[in-house]
Amino acid sequence: MPYPADRERDRPWVMRTYAGHSSAAASNALYRRNLAKGQTGLSVAFDLPTQTGYDPDDELAKGEVGKVGVPISHIGDMRQLFDQIPLAGANTSMTINATAMWLLAMYVTVAEEQGADPSTLAGTTQNDIIKEYLSRGTYVFPPGPSLRLITDMVAWTVSNVPKWNPINICSYHLQEVGATPAQEVAYAMCTAIAVLDSVRDSGQVPVEKFGEVVARISFFVNAGVRFIEEMCKMRAFAQLWDEITLERYGVENPKHRRFRYGVQVNSLGLTEAQPENNVQRIVLEMLAVSLSRNARARAIQLPAWNEALGLPRPWDQQWALRMQQVLAYETDLLEYDDIFDGSPVIEAKVNEILAGAREEIDRVQAMGGAVAAVESGYMKSQLVSSLADRRRRVESGEEIVVGVNKFDTTEPSPLQAEGANAIETIDPIVEMHAVEAIQQWRASRDNAAVAAALDSLREAAKTDQNLVEVTLACARAGVTTGEWSQALRETFGEYRAPTGVSGASASGEAGSEIARVRDRVRGTGEEIGERLRMLVGKPGLDGHSNGAEQVAVRARDVGFEVVYQGIRLTPSQIVAAAVQEDVHVVGLSILSGSHLEVVPAVVDGLREAGAGDIPVIVGGIIPPDDALKLRERGVARVFTPKDYELTEIMDEIVTVIREVHSLA
């Protein structure tokens, strides 16, 4: 029924857009424009070097600076990012994980410089490293030390920045790499259990304050276009969180047990073909996390209609913000109690998701918990298999994607009439300026103070001392992002997570087509005189590996011998592996926008190594003009998200190999 006359409408959720690119100054201007348009929170996108702990002049950062977010290399950049934005009154979400402690330290320092009391700061650091091993790939350190960094942050913020969410357990990217609703719920809860157990067992938080720890744990979820199922998933999430925090941790205060989550709706479901259809997808997905009052999101950020094409422009982000504002302020959504309570259909679906999630949680806990399930490769292989099954359903037409595998005839889109101008592009000079700026910063600071701060960090990392205070000292001294990360790399080591490819299955593929391509692979190998070998490579810092993994799985299924070493490789490492393994084709997957820099480096490297006859193919979010440039630089084929049929792609790769070997 409508809300009583003596009760106001529910307060709208925090409205954000995920934004940041080029430089701190450019991103600051964008943030201030968005806030002036009615955005009520900031969501900071950091570039890949910042996320993975490299400075702009590092070899691995080449081509990645400022592409998918803003580069923040030191406290000076952080000051510029929030210039004229009073942090005491802001609500800032930072999508940062491996280097979360470092970015929080700089944020708190800048807030103090503005005169803010840290105890008043409100916001969130994503800081969920488990899902990085499973999906986004921006991890740096092994699971154990990574969990230690998270534990220290949770313990420190509860005492010093009590309104801050020190971790945003993020199932969003799990869905993007294939998770079913039950898997998304289960693996997120397993991560929460791992973090809460670690904080409890560290002894850094008194038992009587543990409810405050639970109260600051937030979640960040995905919402797909099956919005009834997604809404049921959120109700299941809320119910299971209440159950776990009460029964496992004995948290009696229901306010502490409240399930608090933010959401970005499903970017993976956005299509390059007929991208105007993405508008209605985004709106429907927003309903999934707003219709049910008892499981409504606390913060929502929406992608733009053209994110499958490239980086959105300010106008595109404004459109996404207006969608939220129309729903919150023009409709009657916020005037009613939960409209689904008592529905037997909803209750049955929620119970189905709960049953599947509980079963999977028990399985992971029996293995030793989330960290053990990451190290064994179990969770990763489950997700790779789930995504392979989803791709099978799309390719077979069992799952319809409008404009892609059905209803694909179309009129020219006026939204794309501007061609390359329909997306935001980053001038390559941005990286050059960032490299010059970091060198000037190092030259102008007190390097003795920097060295002392880094020595203190290294020594503390060898003990069980909480690392936040020594990290704050590094920020104040002018340490750079790369230096902070390198100091911890020296102590903790680096890590390469299991790829999940070897344990994945793509069963149920269309038998006749995959058999035909398998015959071509076998026959071509016999003509050449050896089994066909493909190297699948992820150059640069782009850790979104699901596309590469699916290519590797399908290539193996059609008979290729597959070489896949995972993410974060330099072009020279890829070239060396291609030569050493004597492969017949190199396939590169890039989603970060660095394709014009790193792909030619691989092509040139192969030529210099005397292996210029090995063809290079590329897949990723690559605008048509850039695809043409890559072909001119010697790339044999370019595939984009519209090329969704993997078996057809495999067939075309065989054709490329035959062309290179002059086979009829």
Side-chain angles (χ1 to χ4, degrees), residues 616-628:
V616 175
I617 62 172
V618 181
I621 299 177
I622 301 172
D625 290 351
D626 288 0
L628 180 61

Side-chain angles (χ1 to χ4, degrees), residues 414-431:
L415 291 176
Q416 296 177 272
E418 297 174 88
N421 292 327
I423 57 173
E424 187 83 27
T425 56
I426 306 303
D427 193 325
I429 203 170
V430 163
E431 185 165 313

Side-chain angles (χ1 to χ4, degrees), residues 20 109 147 209 237 374 562 581 595 632:
T109 301
L147 191 57
K209 294 191 69 174
F237 250 132
V374 165
V562 177
E581 299 290 344
H595 45 269
E632 291 171 347

Side-chain angles (χ1 to χ4, degrees), residues 184-421:
E184 186 180 344
V185 172
Y187 295 163
M189 290 299 167
C190 287
T191 297
I193 289 169
V195 170
L196 288 174
D197 282 0
S198 180
V199 173
R200 180 194 60 195
D201 298 344
S202 75
Q204 295 188 62
V205 178
V207 174
E208 64 272 15
K209 294 191 69 174
F210 199 74
E212 296 174 31
V213 172
V214 171
R216 299 322 305 173
I217 304 295
S218 63
F219 291 77
F220 187 72
V221 306
N222 205 328
V225 77
R226 292 171 57 84
F227 69 97
I228 299 298
E229 181 176 68
E230 294 293 323
M231 185 271 296
C232 291
K233 178 188 75 181
M234 298 321 308
R235 291 171 72 96
F237 250 132
Q239 185 173 330
L240 193 55
W241 180 242
D242 186 77
E243 177 184 304
I244 289 172
T245 53
L246 177 62
E247 297 178 3
R248 186 181 181 95
Y249 300 106
V251 177
E252 298 290 343
N253 188 335
K255 290 184 178 179
H256 289 166
R257 301 198 309 268
R258 184 180 300 151
F259 183 75
R260 299 178 309 113
Y261 77 98
V263 64
Q264 172 156 322
V265 305
N266 189 7
S267 293
L268 181 67
L270 304 184
T271 62
E272 178 188 16
Q274 299 182 23
E276 61 274 12
N277 294 335
N278 295 330
V279 175
Q280 52 264 36
R281 291 187 179 108
I282 292 166
V283 170
L284 290 169
E285 291 163 351
M286 179 171 51
L287 292 177
V289 294
S290 58
L291 277 176
S292 176
R293 184 175 185 268
N294 292 341
R296 183 171 293 148
R298 296 283 292 272
I300 297 176
Q301 60 190 44
L302 303 181
W305 68 276
N306 55 352
E307 285 198 16
L309 308 176
L311 189 67
R313 300 159 300 183
W315 182 86
D316 306 313
Q317 293 187 328
Q318 174 183 299
W319 193 0
L321 175 62
R322 296 294 184 249
M323 293 177 196
Q324 295 203 56
Q325 291 168 330
V326 168
L327 179 64
Y329 297 109
E330 292 191 24
T331 77
D332 58 351
L333 174 71
L334 301 179
E335 298 176 7
Y336 293 85
D337 289 329
D338 199 298
I339 61 176
F340 295 104
D341 283 352
S343 165
V345 174
I346 299 300
E347 184 178 353
K349 187 63 180 178
V350 170
N351 288 337
E352 175 190 322
I353 294 171
L354 280 170
R358 289 189 180 110
E359 182 180 346
E360 192 65 10
I361 290 170
D362 290 345
R363 188 175 292 114
V364 169
Q365 293 307 116
M367 294 177 182
V371 169
V374 165
E375 293 173 331
S376 70
Y378 168 75
M379 286 201 289
K380 181 66 173 178
S381 64
Q382 292 297 108
L383 294 171
V384 174
S385 294
S386 291
L387 186 56
D389 186 56
R390 180 197 292 169
R391 292 196 66 98
R392 175 196 62 76
R393 294 196 305 271
V394 171
E395 291 179 26
S396 68
E398 177 184 341
E399 187 171 311
I400 293 172
V401 182
V402 174
V404 175
N405 64 358
K406 197 173 181 64
F407 313 117
D408 55 357
T409 58
T410 185
E411 300 296 328
S413 170
L415 291 176
Q416 296 177 272
E418 297 174 88
N421 292 327

